[in-house]
Amino acid sequence: MVVVLAGGVGGARFLSGLVRIVAPAEVTAIVNVGDDVDVSGLRVCPDLDTITYRLAGVVHPSQQWGRDHESFVVSGELRRFGHPDWFTLGDRDLAVHLHRTLRLRQGAPLSRVTDEIRRAFGVEVRLLPATDDPLTTTVTTRDGRTLGFQEYWVRERAAPEVDHVTAVGADDAQPAPGVVEAIEDADVVLFAPSNPVVSLGPILAVEQIRSAVARTRAPVVGVSPIIGGRVVLGMADRLLPSVGAEVSATGVARHLADLLDGWIVDTQDRDAVDTIRGLGIECQATDTMMDDPGIAGALASTCLDVASRVRGAAA
Amino acid sequence: MVVVLAGGVGGARFLSGLVRIVAPAEVTAIVNVGDDVDVSGLRVCPDLDTITYRLAGVVHPSQQWGRDHESFVVSGELRRFGHPDWFTLGDRDLAVHLHRTLRLRQGAPLSRVTDEIRRAFGVEVRLLPATDDPLTTTVTTRDGRTLGFQEYWVRERAAPEVDHVTAVGADDAQPAPGVVEAIEDADVVLFAPSNPVVSLGPILAVEQIRSAVARTRAPVVGVSPIIGGRVVLGMADRLLPSVGAEVSATGVARHLADLLDGWIVDTQDRDAVDTIRGLGIECQATDTMMDDPGIAGALASTCLDVASRVRGAAA
């Protein structure tokens, strides 16, 4: 059993590679919910949906999130009522949010609804939200404003200088059913190349998840989302300084060092391998730019190789 | 000031004629809510929406309800989740239900939300739901099943034999704010050619509305929805027997006799004029087939003429 901690686009691409080399039913993804947001009264879970759509083969191919063949009729009409239009919902996407919102209002926990949705899309990978409880990422800017993550990221295009990021509710959040068990029973735990602050951060901010990862006997291997000192996608570069981490493959490894047994860096960062090994973390350089599923598959394979090596060294 | 009690398609067509001869801002429509239904967690108000779309000029031209240039992307996707698909929501239409549902959940009463929606569509006629309280039409069949109105009408295509129709909640429902005042202040009260049982019936089942219509000094004039013993549209013919009324222009006049001062029948029913006058109801025959807005306008004009005649006779 392989467990993957994952955010949105990076997590989705990584998982699409992993299922080329591991049976999908053997994979459990524990997914960030800190980005979740209510839009026009609908509950939107961007990371869960991006992963579902990618694994179902219905993700928008260039955008890499949202649905393929998407239309925007409902959003266009909603403008009539003065709804904020900075977070635009596509029609196909909206059907998922509508179903989710209905089921949540009927009292179903997010984990159950998530399972229904991934099955409706024929996704065999088990998807678990980190928690069924309220857990919301906020970004406090240097000029003293506290924004919801989507306000910061989508509405303000990550322009404001960030003072700190908070996983609001994490202290009271319990892991969703199955999360701790999946980590305990895993043969290997992987960190997708997702944003360490706003994707992996909120998952690991749930204390019982962090402690399960810390104590699991399975090797814990991550992939650097930073290549050559630059973020591959997203805006980890804007946020790493807020947690005191350097924007580099080494910086992120240091930030996660207490949890990691292995760390995969891009070939561009091969010079960092020795430094990272010096932190007591097994390290290997490979191609981490997942431009196609073949590369993503090879990357996942490298992760499992490093995990075997760690396991062998421990034995 | 003209007040119109109205259901869906017939009410919408009648109002579109009325606003050709009366300034829209001088018109208040009191609209049936008994057909309202939750679909995929969204609050759908078919009669209010049909009237709004018609008056805004965005109704589906042949269907006469729902939106023009409609698409069904969201509904198509919802099938994935096994939602009942007998009540299909178009995408444009769905935006209205989404806004309404959001506002209702925020605590706004239906009357306020309705006002927001009609203004967003540029509709100048004031639209009032009969009540902000729960009021739901059910149809009990001869074989002993009790169905929601839309289940009976849309899902079962009005096939089952009807034993009786109930306006559930009517006993406890208060008129929406402004309804009683509008009737009290009206110069004339009109009954659109809407279904007497399931469109006008639920409105008049709210006791304070019925008594306001009964005691208003304004002439109360209605238009027969039955032409030549046949229903123009809808299924009044299936339901009139359940209230003991004959399926004829005279039968409906008798059913509403305690409220009516005047009754307009189609020229096909001109032979009924004397009979209806014998009930103490002023009656006139004219073209009531509202195939175009010009005919609807002439029909509305005839209603106002009859109202004047009634008023003159009373003076």
Side-chain angles (χ1 to χ4, degrees):
Chain A
M1 298 300 296
V2 181
V3 167
V4 182
L5 272 56
V9 176
R13 294 211 288 190
F14 182 74
L15 285 162
S16 71
L18 182 62
V19 296
R20 291 167 74 95
I21 59 163
V22 176
E26 302 287 305
V27 176
T28 297
I30 299 169
V31 181
N32 174 42
V33 294
D35 303 3
D36 295 1
V37 65
D38 289 317
V39 180
S40 296
L42 299 177
R43 190 64 177 163
V44 179
C45 300
D47 285 1
L48 284 165
D49 292 342
T50 296
I51 290 171
T52 301
Y53 298 161
R54 165 72 70 172
L55 292 176
V58 298
V59 77
H60 188 286
S62 59
Q63 192 174 259
Q64 306 205 43
W65 49 268
R67 286 294 308 273
D68 56 357
H69 309 295
E70 189 55 293
S71 57
F72 295 89
V73 176
V74 177
S75 285
E77 283 289 325
L78 281 174
R79 279 191 211 110
R80 197 187 282 278
F81 304 110
H83 289 215
D85 61 358
W86 55 267
F87 198 101
T88 304
L89 298 179
D91 299 322
R92 287 179 198 277
D93 195 32
L94 191 142
V96 172
H97 312 320
L98 202 51
H99 176 72
R100 179 189 291 121
T101 303
L102 172 65
R103 296 287 293 126
L104 291 172
R105 287 198 194 282
Q106 290 172 340
L110 180 61
S111 53
R112 189 182 309 157
V113 181
T114 298
D115 201 61
E116 290 172 5
I117 293 171
R118 65 102 174 167
R119 287 175 192 276
F121 278 92
V123 169
E124 291 180 81
V125 171
R126 185 163 68 138
L127 301 184
L128 297 175
T131 180
D132 285 332
D133 298 329
L135 171 57
T136 304
T137 301
T138 62
V139 176
T140 302
T141 62
R142 291 258 178 91
D143 59 12
R145 293 179 300 149
T146 294
L147 306 174
F149 175 75
Q150 301 294 352
E151 292 176 312
Y152 165 74
W153 177 230
V154 179
R155 192 185 69 197
E156 311 222 351
R157 294 161 193 270
E161 293 292 325
V162 175
D163 187 78
H164 61 276
V165 171
T166 311
V168 178
D171 290 349
D172 298 318
Q174 300 296 310
V179 166
V180 168
E181 296 78 354
I183 295 166
E184 286 172 342
D185 297 345
D187 297 307
V188 56
V189 175
L190 303 178
F191 290 179
S194 297
N195 188 305
V197 183
V198 293
S199 294
L200 302 183
I203 301 173
L204 294 167
V206 179
E207 183 48 40
Q208 291 182 52
I209 300 180
R210 171 174 280 271
S211 63
V213 173
R215 76 170 179 267
T216 183
R217 299 174 64 173
V220 178
V221 177
V223 179
S224 174
I226 303 289
I227 298 181
R230 287 215 306 265
V231 68
V232 180
L233 52 85
M235 29 87 227
D237 53 328
R238 306 279 303 153
L239 296 169
L240 280 167
S242 76
V243 295
E246 187 186 279
V247 183
S248 71
T250 310
V252 180
R254 272 204 189 91
H255 177 62
L256 298 169
D258 59 328
L259 299 174
L260 290 177
D261 300 305
W263 190 236
I264 312 296
V265 302
D266 195 76
T267 45
Q268 286 185 46
D269 294 308
R270 70 176 76 80
D271 293 350
V273 168
D274 286 344
T275 309
I276 291 163
R277 285 184 177 153
L279 301 171
I281 299 169
E282 175 55 16
C283 187
Q284 185 166 330
T286 190
D287 186 359
T288 67
M289 283 290 271
M290 298 180 285
D291 291 331
D292 67 59
I295 298 174
L299 173 59
S301 187
T302 303
C303 290
L304 298 187
D305 289 346
V306 169
S308 292
R309 219 184 300 154
V310 168
R311 200 183 288 112
Chain B
M1 299 300 296
V2 181
V3 167
V4 181
L5 272 57
V9 176
R13 293 211 290 189
F14 183 72
L15 285 161
S16 72
L18 182 62
V19 296
R20 291 167 74 94
I21 59 162
V22 176
E26 303 287 305
V27 177
T28 296
I30 299 170
V31 182
N32 173 43
V33 294
D35 302 4
D36 296 2
V37 64
D38 288 317
V39 180
S40 295
L42 299 177
R43 189 66 177 162
V44 179
C45 301
D47 285 1
L48 285 165
D49 292 343
T50 296
I51 291 171
T52 301
Y53 297 162
R54 164 72 67 169
L55 292 176
V58 299
V59 76
H60 189 287
S62 60
Q63 193 172 257
Q64 304 206 45
W65 50 267
R67 285 293 308 274
D68 55 358
H69 309 295
E70 190 55 292
S71 58
F72 295 89
V73 176
V74 177
S75 285
E77 283 289 326
L78 281 175
R79 276 190 213 113
R80 197 187 282 279
F81 302 111
H83 288 216
D85 61 357
W86 55 267
F87 198 101
T88 303
L89 298 179
D91 299 322
R92 289 180 197 276
D93 195 34
L94 192 141
V96 172
H97 312 320
L98 203 51
H99 176 71
R100 178 188 292 122
T101 304
L102 173 64
R103 296 287 293 125
L104 290 172
R105 287 199 195 283
Q106 289 171 341
L110 180 61
S111 53
R112 190 182 307 158
V113 181
T114 299
D115 201 61
E116 290 171 7
I117 292 170
R118 66 101 174 169
R119 286 174 191 276
F121 277 92
V123 169
E124 291 179 80
V125 170
R126 185 163 70 136
L127 301 184
L128 297 176
T131 180
D132 285 333
D133 298 327
L135 172 57
T136 304
T137 301
T138 62
V139 176
T140 302
T141 62
R142 291 258 177 91
D143 59 12
R145 295 179 300 150
T146 295
L147 306 173
F149 174 75
Q150 302 294 351
E151 292 175 310
Y152 165 74
W153 176 229
V154 179
R155 192 185 70 198
E156 311 222 351
R157 296 161 193 266
E161 294 292 323
V162 175
D163 187 77
H164 61 276
V165 171
T166 312
V168 178
D171 290 349
D172 298 319
Q174 300 296 309
V179 166
V180 168
E181 296 79 353
I183 295 166
E184 285 173 343
D185 297 345
D187 297 308
V188 55
V189 175
L190 304 178
F191 290 179
S194 298
N195 188 305
V197 182
V198 292
S199 295
L200 302 183
I203 301 173
L204 294 168
V206 179
E207 183 48 39
Q208 290 181 52
I209 300 181
R210 172 175 279 272
S211 61
V213 173
R215 75 169 178 268
T216 183
R217 298 176 63 174
V220 177
V221 177
V223 179
S224 174
I226 304 290
I227 298 182
R230 286 217 307 266
V231 69
V232 179
L233 51 86
M235 30 83 228
D237 54 328
R238 305 281 301 154
L239 297 170
L240 280 167
S242 76
V243 296
E246 185 187 283
V247 183
S248 70
T250 309
V252 180
R254 271 204 189 92
H255 177 61
L256 298 169
D258 59 329
L259 300 174
L260 291 177
D261 300 305
W263 189 238
I264 312 296
V265 301
D266 194 76
T267 45
Q268 286 186 47
D269 293 308
R270 70 177 78 82
D271 292 348
V273 168
D274 285 343
T275 310
I276 291 163
R277 284 184 177 154
L279 301 170
I281 300 169
E282 174 54 17
C283 186
Q284 185 166 330
T286 189
D287 186 0
T288 66
M289 282 290 271
M290 298 179 287
D291 290 331
D292 67 59
I295 298 173
L299 174 59
S301 187
T302 301
C303 290
L304 298 188
D305 290 346
V306 169
S308 293
R309 218 184 301 156
V310 168
R311 201 183 289 112

